[in-house]
Amino acid sequence: MYFKKIEDKKVYLSPMCTDDAIKYTKWMNDFDVTDKINSSCNVISLESEKAWLEKNSGIGNYQFAIVKQENDELIGNCSLHDLDFINGRATVGIFIGDKENRGKGYGSEALELLISYGFNHLNLNNIMLAVYSFNNPAIACYKKVGFKEIGRRREAYFKNNERYDEIFMDILRSEFYERRKL
């Protein structure tokens, strides 16, 4: 069961549901998902995913299920983590699980919702992320939402016998709202 905590036209963000452990376990064992979020070396059991969902779905955790408006289908996850309320900063993470739901604007809409929540309800000023240089669709999504590259850690990620840069991007509250005025 999902609850529309934050919503827009295509998707809404809901608190995570522990009943989705099977779907999350499938995604967390799919190289197409895990290569992009630096967790391909992990082997995730259903029991460990259930425990993770239990631990990360309570108060003080800002983990959300990304759910399609049209049919209430769970399609991914997004989160704000490493929150620093004194300095007003956090890190964002996001993924869309199944290939057929990628490239349709769900990720950028979910990211806009999550960023707006961070700025409007958590009083954040700076939200950053890390992405790997081979992940061009994600980089395009982040730029579309307004993130800017702020640096690189060269050859910091190893995948399939290749090295890739880790790209750091961020967005400021003022930049986010300036883009919304356009």
Side-chain angles (χ1 to χ4, degrees), residues 7 9 17 19 31-32 51 57 61 71 87 90 95 106 108 115 118 124 146 157 162 165 175:
E7 64 181 308
K9 295 178 181 110
C17 178
D19 292 342
F31 287 120
D32 195 46
S57 61
N61 287 299
N71 60 6
N87 294 298
F95 73 85
Y106 299 132
S108 58
I115 292 167
L124 299 176
Y157 185 67
E162 297 283 332
D165 291 355
E175 295 168 341

Side-chain angles (χ1 to χ4, degrees), residues 3 15-16 24-26 34-35 42 48-49 62 64 77 82-83 90 93 101 105-107 113 116 125 139 146 169 179:
F3 301 92
M16 293 185 305
Y24 278 110
T25 303
K26 176 185 165 237
T34 58
D35 279 351
N42 299 326
S48 66
E49 190 62 24
Y62 301 98
F64 295 95
N77 181 273
D82 301 328
L83 279 94
N101 290 313
Y106 299 132
L113 291 171
S116 179
N125 185 59
I139 294 167
M169 303 176 84
R179 288 187 78 252

Side-chain angles (χ1 to χ4, degrees), residues 55-68:
K55 179 183 173 197
N56 289 286
S57 61
I59 294 174
N61 287 299
Y62 301 98
Q63 293 274 350
F64 295 95
I66 303 171
V67 184
K68 280 189 200 179

Side-chain angles (χ1 to χ4, degrees), residues 21-173:
I22 291 172
K23 194 162 198 176
Y24 278 110
T25 303
K26 176 185 165 237
W27 290 337
M28 292 299 100
N29 286 292
D30 179 352
F31 287 120
D32 195 46
V33 173
T34 58
D35 279 351
K36 297 173 182 90
I37 60 173
N38 193 18
S39 63
S40 290
C41 61
N42 299 326
V43 178
I44 306 297
S45 69
L46 180 57
E47 291 74 24
S48 66
E49 190 62 24
K50 283 180 183 177
W52 187 91
L53 285 167
E54 278 290 331
K55 179 183 173 197
N56 289 286
S57 61
I59 294 174
N61 287 299
Y62 301 98
Q63 293 274 350
F64 295 95
I66 303 171
V67 184
K68 280 189 200 179
Q69 284 280 18
E70 68 184 72
N71 60 6
D72 295 318
E73 175 190 359
L74 173 67
I75 61 169
N77 181 273
C78 62
S79 67
L80 289 166
H81 52 274
D82 301 328
L83 279 94
D84 175 347
F85 289 110
I86 293 171
N87 294 298
R89 62 186 181 197
T91 303
V92 68
I94 184 170
F95 73 85
I96 302 296
D98 297 318
K99 287 180 188 178
E100 64 266 13
N101 290 313
R102 296 183 200 145
K104 297 183 178 178
Y106 299 132
S108 58
E109 188 172 284
L111 195 55
E112 290 257 359
L113 291 171
L114 186 63
I115 292 167
S116 179
Y117 177 78
F119 290 146
N120 288 324
H121 298 283
L122 302 179
N123 197 29
L124 299 176
N125 185 59
N126 175 294
I127 298 175
M128 73 166 284
L129 60 83
V131 61
Y132 301 110
S133 57
F134 65 85
N135 196 350
N136 292 318
I139 294 167
C141 171
Y142 302 146
K143 287 181 178 179
K144 176 181 174 184
V145 172
F147 280 84
K148 297 177 183 175
E149 185 174 329
I150 56 171
R152 285 179 180 249
R153 190 171 190 179
R154 298 173 300 136
E155 297 184 11
Y157 185 67
F158 181 77
K159 176 179 89 89
N160 298 330
N161 209 30
E162 297 283 332
R163 293 236 168 241
Y164 298 93
D165 291 355
E166 184 175 21
I167 301 169
F168 297 95
M169 303 176 84
D170 76 354
I171 188 168
L172 299 175
R173 180 197 309 232

